[in-house]
C-alpha cells in the first residue's frame, strides 16, 4: 500500500513539476544514455590563417545525435549538465575523442592543432585538470598541438584556482585560448594574471563590423593583443566583407561559416589530405 501511495505522490509531483525542471531532468537522463550508447560525436571547424588562407588548426564541437529528437546543439545541453555530475564524463569523452582524432591527423600533418572547449564547471574540477594533463602525456601529444578554450566568466569565478590549473596545463605543453572574448567581463586585469596564448574575438564583434569604418572596438582589441603578444582568432566570419575587414585590421586568424563550416572528422581528414594549405602551429 505504501508503494502504491508513493507512486501516486510521484505522479502528483510530476504533474506539478514545472515544465522547465522536467526538461532538465529529461536532458540529464538523455545525456547519460547518450554517453552509454555512443550518441555523441565531434565535428571540427577549421581555423584559417587569413594572410595565407592556410588551415592552422581545428576546433572540436560536440554533437548529440538523439535517436528521436535528431541533432541537439551543445548550447541546449552543456549549460544544463554544468551543475550535474555529468559534466566530468562528457568533458573527458570530448577530450579523449579529440586527442584520438588529433593523433591520426598528426601522422598526416605533423604539428596540426586541435582545440577543445572546457566549460566553467569542468575547469574548476581537480579531476578535469589532471585528466587533461595525464591524457596529453599518456598519448604523447606533441606540445602546442592541444589547445584549451575557456570563457572569461568561467575563469574569473575562481581566479586563484584557475591560475594554478592553467599553469599546470601550460607546463604540460597545452595552449590556452579565451573564447568569446569581449562578451564576459569588463575588466582586462585578469589577462596579466593568467598564462594565456590567445583571444578568440566573439562573433558579435564580427556581426557589427562596418566595411567603411575604422571599427575602432575591434582595432583596439587587436592592438591590445599585439601589445600583450597574444594570438587572435576572429570568430563568426560569414561574409567576404567581414573577411576583408579582418584582413585589413590585421587579425591573423579567422573562423566562421564563410571559411569552413564545422564538419565530421572524415571530412576534415579528407580536407587535410587534399590540401597543402596547412600551416602548422608552433606556439
Ligand atoms: P564556441 O566555442 O564559441 O563555438 C563556436 C560556435 O559558433 C559553434 O556553435 C559554431 O558552430 C558556431 N559558429 C562557427 N562559425 C559561425 C558563423 O560564422 N556564424 C554563426 N552564426 N555561428 C558560427 P556550436 O557548435 O553550436 O557550439 C556552441 C557552443 O557550445 C560553443 O561555442 C561552446 O561554448 C559550446 N561547446 C561546443 N562543444 C563543446 C564541448 O565539447 N564542450 C563544452 N564544454 N562546450 C562546448
Ligand atoms: Mg570555442
Ligand atoms: Mg567562441
Ligand atoms: Mg560562442
Amino acid at each position: 500500500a505504501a508503494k502504491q501511495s508513493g507512486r501516486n505522490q510521484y505522479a502528483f509531483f510530476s504533474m506539478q513539476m514545472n515544465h522547465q525542471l522536467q526538461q532538465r531532468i529529461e536532458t540529464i537522463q538523455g545525456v547519460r544514455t547518450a554517453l552509454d550508447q555512443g550518441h555523441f560525436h565531434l565535428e571540427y571547424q577549421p581555423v584559417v590563417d587569413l594572410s595565407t588562407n592556410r588551415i592552422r588548426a581545428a576546433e572540436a564541437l560536440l554533437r548529440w545525435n538523439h535517436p528521436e529528437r535528431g541533432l541537439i546543439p551543445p548550447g541546449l545541453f552543456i549549460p544544463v549538465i554544468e551543475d550535474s555530475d555529468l559534466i566530468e564524463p562528457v568533458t573527458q569523452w570530448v577530450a579523449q575523442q579529440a586527442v584520438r582524432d588529433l593523433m591520426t591527423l598528426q601522422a598526416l600533418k605533423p604539428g596540426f592543432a586541435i582545440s577543445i572547449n572546457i566549460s566553467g564547471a569542468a575547469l574548476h574540477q581537480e579531476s578535469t585538470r589532471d585528466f587533461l594533463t595525464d591524457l596529453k602525456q599518456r598519448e604523447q601529444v606533441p606540445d602546442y598541438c592541444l589547445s584549451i578554450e575557456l570563457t572569461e566568466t568561467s575563469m574569473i569565478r575562481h581566479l586563484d584556482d584557475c591560475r594554478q590549473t592553467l599553469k599546470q596545463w601550460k607546463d604540460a605543453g597545452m595552449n590556452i585560448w579565451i573564447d568569446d572574448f569581449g562578451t564576459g567581463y569588463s575588466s582586462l586585469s585578469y589577462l596579466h594574471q593568467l598564462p594565456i596564448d590567445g583571444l578568440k574575438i566573439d562573433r558579435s564583434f564580427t556581426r557589427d563590423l562596418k566595411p567603411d569604418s575604422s571599427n575602432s572596438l575591434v582595432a583596439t582589441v587587436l592592438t591590445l593583443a599585439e601589445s600583450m603578444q597574444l594570438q587572435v582568432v576572429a570568430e563568426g566570419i560569414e561574409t567576404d566583407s567581414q573577411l576583408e575587414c579582418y584582413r585589413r585590421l590585421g587579425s591573423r586568424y579567422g573562423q566562421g561559416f564563410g571559411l569552413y563550416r564545422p564538419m565530421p572528422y572524415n571530412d576534415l581528414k579528407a580536407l587535410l589530405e587534399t590540401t597543402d594549405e596547412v600551416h602548422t602551429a608552433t606556439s
Side-chain angles (χ1 to χ4, degrees), residues 179-180 202-203 235:
D179 205 353
D180 306 343
D202 188 69
R203 71 166 181 270
E235 292 192 283

Side-chain angles (χ1 to χ4, degrees), residues 106-119:
Q106 282 290 311
L108 208 61
K109 299 281 174 188
F112 188 73
I114 278 179
S115 68
I116 59 175
N117 293 282
I118 299 291
S119 67

Side-chain angles (χ1 to χ4, degrees), residues 209-210 213-220 222-223 226 242-252:
L209 287 177
K210 306 254 178 334
S213 131
S214 61
N215 296 301
S216 52
L217 198 52
V218 169
T220 303
L222 291 171
T223 307
E226 196 178 350
Q242 290 166 346
L243 185 59
E244 280 322 305
C245 274
Y246 275 124
R247 283 207 173 104
R248 192 156 34 79
L249 289 163
S251 173
R252 176 90 188 264

